[in-house]
Amino acid sequence: MITRRSLLGGAAAAATVPLWTSMTSPSAAAGRLPLDLVNRRIGHRAYAVVSGRDPVSGRWFFLAADGKTKTYPRAGRTSRTPLNVDTAIPLSASGATRRLMLPPIESGRVYLSLDRKLRFFVNPDGGIATPSVTDPHDPNAATEWTFFELTHDTNGVYANISFVDFVGVPLSLGLKTASGAQRVGGLERAGLSRIAAGLRTQSARDGSGWRKLIVSQGGRDLRILSPNLAAHAAGRNPVSGYLDPYIRQVWQKYRSVDLIIDTQSRWGTVAGRVRPNGRLTFPRIGSFAQPSTYAVFNCSVAPFVTANNVMGNLSARLAAALNRTTLLENSHQPDTTQGSFYRAARTNHYARLIHAHTAGGAGYAFPYDDVHTARFNTEGRVVHPHPQLLSVEVG
């Protein structure tokens, strides 16, 4: 999965350098991929913003409003300097297709908004301030928007729908290749409303704060924050400690039973137990302290390791099993039992409801939701080394 936070790092530039430069690279144009965008919210305007990193130069760029010109941001004179070039690509309000020619791009995002253009800013260090869903004072706070992630380079194309940060405007992805087609349907009709209703029901059932993940405005539900992001919104954590009783049960179980994890890689299958010091220990590999609820929902703080090594591999599978609450019933992970995910009373209800209200249950709901076997794949992605057409429907 591609992950990118609110600031995209960039080298500082002298104050005399223009805020933006524009150029079209003939070599990059040769590798461009058709990208079709369709607005399904008939009667409403929709806008797309394409941003990412140039695989050759490593520089961050946007596509300009014409949908083809690569536009490179330069450092702003002050903090949060508004971009002075329009990067909002308008889509038809009638459902007609708008075709872009996507240049090679890494760590890319395509932002999609309804009725309003999203606002981006550049800082003196060259970093880009992207729209925030946790800051109620963000200029985009009242705008309905979403995004999908993608990379398009010499290896082909990878794009995925992500709910790791929040649930917003529904969208779907399609990919045409010489060998066939792939599709990710995204949120079902009224999916956001149904997820919000499920969170309110869960709060009423157990007195928890799941309903506080819902961001409403003017009597309507605008978006739903992930439990990870909600922990940072206005300094509150509405589900703090929610999984702690389950985590304690897991740690108690594996004091006397081996936890067996298939790394699905060159490290093979490994076994670990919770030692008297309270650490889940895999001999000759490493160990994990008992995590907090926040660590499980976040997946990237201690005790989880994000390095591309055996501990990082175990972190992904352990965090996925804790979010899906499959560890008390199954000591062999990753779990491949049909219908086994999210069955515990205390589970990641945000992820549970997302997978219940997306087409085929597909779409990232937490950072390690890509842990799967041949029997399960909940990534919500399209991928192919030889793509012919990427298509997106929004709204």
Side-chain angles (χ1 to χ4, degrees):
M1 180 186 66
I2 307 161
T3 57
R4 187 147 51 97
R5 298 305 181 191
S6 60
L7 291 180
L8 306 181
T16 56
V17 175
L19 182 61
W20 289 82
T21 60
S22 298
M23 59 185 294
T24 300
S25 166
S27 61
R32 292 197 176 212
L33 173 70
L35 170 60
D36 283 355
L37 301 171
V38 181
N39 174 20
R40 293 300 186 195
R41 191 73 66 88
I42 305 301
H44 294 260
R45 295 306 306 264
Y47 301 91
V49 175
V50 180
S51 173
R53 188 168 57 196
D54 187 317
V56 177
S57 68
R59 297 169 63 193
W60 293 102
F61 71 89
F62 286 75
L63 289 188
D66 63 8
K68 58 184 179 182
T69 305
K70 292 171 69 173
T71 309
Y72 294 84
R74 298 292 186 182
R77 288 179 168 81
T78 62
S79 178
R80 295 180 67 84
T81 300
L83 303 185
N84 65 349
V85 169
D86 190 0
T87 60
I89 302 167
L91 309 186
S92 171
S94 63
T97 298
R98 174 70 189 268
R99 173 163 289 187
L100 313 181
M101 297 304 294
L102 185 70
I105 187 171
E106 292 180 345
S107 299
R109 278 189 175 184
V110 177
Y111 297 84
L112 296 146
S113 63
L114 295 176
D115 295 320
R116 295 183 179 129
K117 298 179 181 181
L118 289 173
R119 297 176 62 189
F120 293 76
F121 302 87
V122 64
N123 290 323
D125 65 354
I128 304 300
T130 61
S132 169
V133 291
T134 59
D135 180 3
H137 304 294
D138 186 88
N140 306 289
T143 302
E144 289 186 83
W145 65 278
T146 190
F147 67 90
F148 69 92
E149 302 170 320
L150 81 156
T151 286
H152 163 50
D153 57 20
T154 56
N155 295 314
V157 70
Y158 174 96
N160 74 278
I161 293 175
S162 175
F163 304 106
V164 169
D165 291 342
F166 67 102
V167 178
V169 178
L171 61 83
S172 64
L173 298 179
L175 184 66
K176 180 181 178 183
T177 72
S179 58
Q182 303 172 27
R183 178 172 172 79
V184 178
L187 282 176
E188 64 183 23
R189 178 183 288 273
L192 187 146
S193 296
R194 290 172 178 172
I195 294 169
L199 293 175
R200 291 186 173 104
T201 298
Q202 189 63 43
S203 287
R205 180 178 296 131
D206 62 14
S208 60
W210 288 102
R211 63 180 177 80
K212 295 182 180 179
L213 273 60
I214 305 165
V215 178
S216 301
Q217 189 173 91
R220 67 189 178 100
D221 296 333
L222 191 63
R223 62 182 63 93
I224 301 169
L225 302 184
S226 71
N228 176 39
L229 277 199
H232 301 283
R236 60 187 173 90
N237 187 348
V239 289
S240 177
Y242 184 79
L243 284 184
D244 287 2
Y246 177 84
I247 297 168
R248 286 194 293 268
Q249 286 182 284
V250 169
W251 245 243
Q252 183 60 39
K253 171 180 177 174
Y254 291 105
R255 289 181 181 274
S256 56
V257 177
D258 281 348
L259 173 58
I260 300 169
I261 297 181
D262 181 357
T263 66
Q264 302 171 292
S265 66
R266 66 182 184 275
W267 298 295
T269 298
V270 300
R273 283 199 186 193
V274 176
R275 301 304 186 196
N277 63 4
R279 299 184 69 89
L280 176 59
T281 302
F282 295 86
R284 297 179 297 280
I285 297 174
S287 64
F288 296 90
Q290 181 174 307
S292 65
T293 293
Y294 172 71
V296 171
F297 290 153
N298 178 276
C299 295
S300 299
V301 297
F304 301 112
V305 179
T306 58
N308 188 23
N309 57 21
V310 63
M311 282 297 288
N313 180 291
L314 293 177
S315 289
R317 282 146 186 80
L318 179 60
L322 286 166
N323 274 283
R324 295 165 177 167
T325 52
T326 59
L327 284 162
L328 293 181
E329 289 73 24
N330 193 345
S331 60
H332 290 74
Q333 297 292 330
D335 194 307
T336 60
T337 307
Q338 179 115 25
S340 64
F341 295 177
Y342 311 113
R343 295 184 65 178
R346 287 183 175 262
T347 190
N348 185 337
H349 292 291
Y350 173 84
R352 172 179 66 81
L353 289 163
I354 283 173
H355 291 300
H357 296 293
T358 53
Y364 272 97
F366 58 89
Y368 286 130
D369 214 1
D370 56 352
V371 170
H372 66 269
T373 67
R375 295 175 60 184
F376 285 98
N377 186 349
T378 57
E379 287 182 62
R381 51 94 170 130
V382 293
V383 58
H384 200 272
H386 304 293
Q388 294 181 338
L389 171 68
L390 181 62
S391 59
V392 181
E393 296 183 1
V394 57

